[in-house]
Amino acid sequence: MNGTAMRFAIPNKGRLEAPTARLLQQAGFRYERTERSLAVPVLDRDIELLFVRADDVCELVTDGVADLGITGLDLVAESGADIEVLAELGYGHCRLAAAVPNTSPIDSVADFEGLRVATSHPNTAAGFFGDKGVTVRTIPLRGSVEVAPRLDIADAVVDLISSGSTMRLNGLRPVIDLLASQAALVRQRGAAEIAEVDQSVTMITSVVAARHKKYVLMNAPAHAVGKIRSLIPGFDAPSIVPLADPTMVAIHSVVDAGAVWDVIPRLKAAGASGILVLPIEQLLL
Ligand code: AMP
């Protein structure tokens, strides 16, 4: 470990900043960030948060300056560093795509041969086309990649897309995806085991796991338990709790959040009543 505290590098601005702060707070990291502060101690823990650009997280983790980091998988790929992805965090979803102006006839990877490709991910772009035996000239740009064809700096772009509206707005048409990305928890591969790192990973991954689940409680006639169990296989056997009325039971179960609204009408049809759907704060598997 460097110095005394474990150092945890997280994005200080941009798309990953707010959802990362939300995740850390839900996970139980308490800190007071003042405007522009780079290093902020976590209250009651031997952890220092380093607020840095998302692009710098990989470098800090590889250099051993930070013991843990949060950044985009696209930036991990672009850095080319030997970084271990400990967990995908379920936000910051986007894809890195090669796109051309709407008017361009280009339709396949091979059609990119000889083109000038503007991109904020030059290593990934060069690697992708190189692997396919296609030679392109990458034009590295930090931002505003999507305006490069209009300015005639480039014939095509390799850029991040989430909804696709920025590309559409700039008259660009995605042709092929290079990779899919989301925010991830990362560290230097082979880094020494540190208790604070392990504990932080558990705190964070338990929040991410809980976001995909709901706690569902209901009352049901005792004779309907078999039918209801078949409707909520869940990740674990449900708890069946007796009620004052011996013909009735309470059933508690953890259900996939995405399936809840499909399952509820079927639970009702099977005799369930008084159904409660509760969020789960943290889930340790
Ligand atoms: P930013 O700091 O806002 O430039 O973005 C940092 C990271 O946010 C990117 O490297 C991606 O991992 C992620 N991201 C998610 N959606 C998008 C998007 N539509 N455009 C750019 N970055 C995105």
Side-chain angles (χ1 to χ4, degrees):
M1 191 159 23
N2 36 52
T4 52
M6 168 198 131
R7 293 207 184 115
F8 189 177
I10 59 172
N12 66 347
K13 56 180 175 183
R15 287 168 197 263
L16 301 183
E17 179 198 353
T20 299
R22 222 165 18 245
L23 174 61
L24 291 188
Q25 274 149 25
Q26 278 181 15
F29 291 77
R30 293 188 305 122
Y31 57 91
E32 282 166 29
R33 184 186 175 199
T34 49
E35 199 70 25
R36 291 158 170 269
S37 44
L38 169 70
V40 173
V42 175
L43 302 178
D44 306 325
R45 304 288 304 270
D46 199 16
I47 299 176
E48 191 170 47
L49 297 175
L50 301 182
F51 288 88
V52 298
R53 289 167 50 105
D55 333 38
D56 290 335
V57 169
C58 290
E59 174 91 33
L60 294 174
V61 166
T62 322
D63 292 350
V65 172
D67 306 289
L68 194 61
I70 290 180
T71 189
L73 288 175
D74 57 302
L75 296 171
V76 175
E78 179 63 15
S79 84
D82 198 11
I83 283 175
E84 184 182 358
V85 174
L86 299 166
E88 295 182 344
L89 299 176
Y91 60 88
H93 285 282
C94 58
R95 57 201 172 95
L96 187 67
V100 294
N102 285 328
T103 49
S104 163
I106 281 170
D107 208 27
S108 70
V109 180
D111 295 341
F112 282 78
E113 179 65 36
L115 295 191
R116 298 166 302 165
V117 178
T119 181
S120 53
H121 293 68
N123 298 329
T124 314
F128 174 81
F129 287 108
D131 284 349
K132 305 260 185 294
V134 174
T135 308
V136 296
R137 206 175 109 212
T138 53
I139 317 267
L141 291 180
R142 276 288 198 172
S144 310
V145 170
E146 61 283 349
V147 299
R150 227 181 319 132
L151 301 176
D152 198 25
I153 303 168
D155 310 298
V157 302
V158 165
D159 202 7
L160 294 170
I161 308 182
S162 38
S163 70
S165 58
T166 309
M167 284 237 175
R168 267 197 304 281
L169 215 64
N170 286 283
L172 296 173
R173 169 172 62 84
V175 177
I176 190 147
D177 286 351
L178 281 65
L179 57 82
S181 180
Q182 61 175 290
L185 198 52
V186 298
R187 72 168 171 188
Q188 183 182 26
R189 192 177 300 283
E193 295 295 324
I194 300 172
E196 283 286 9
V197 170
D198 289 349
Q199 203 171 47
S200 300
V201 172
T202 305
M203 288 164 72
I204 290 168
T205 53
S206 65
V207 170
V208 175
R211 286 177 173 174
H212 299 126
K213 303 285 183 184
K214 296 285 183 194
Y215 195 68
V216 178
L217 301 91
M218 72 205 84
N219 291 342
H223 66 78
V225 166
K227 171 81 179 151
I228 288 175
R229 279 192 68 166
S230 72
L231 294 173
I232 43 168
F235 83 130
D236 219 347
S239 307
I240 315 284
V241 183
L243 294 179
D245 175 348
T247 66
M248 297 289 287
V249 292
I251 302 175
H252 299 199
S253 185
V254 174
V255 175
D256 282 337
V260 164
W261 299 109
D262 280 344
V263 169
I264 282 179
R266 288 192 266 151
L267 293 173
K268 281 182 157 174
S273 59
I275 302 171
L276 301 181
V277 179
L278 306 180
I280 300 173
E281 206 164 291
Q282 280 170 291
L283 178 65
L284 292 123
L285 296 171

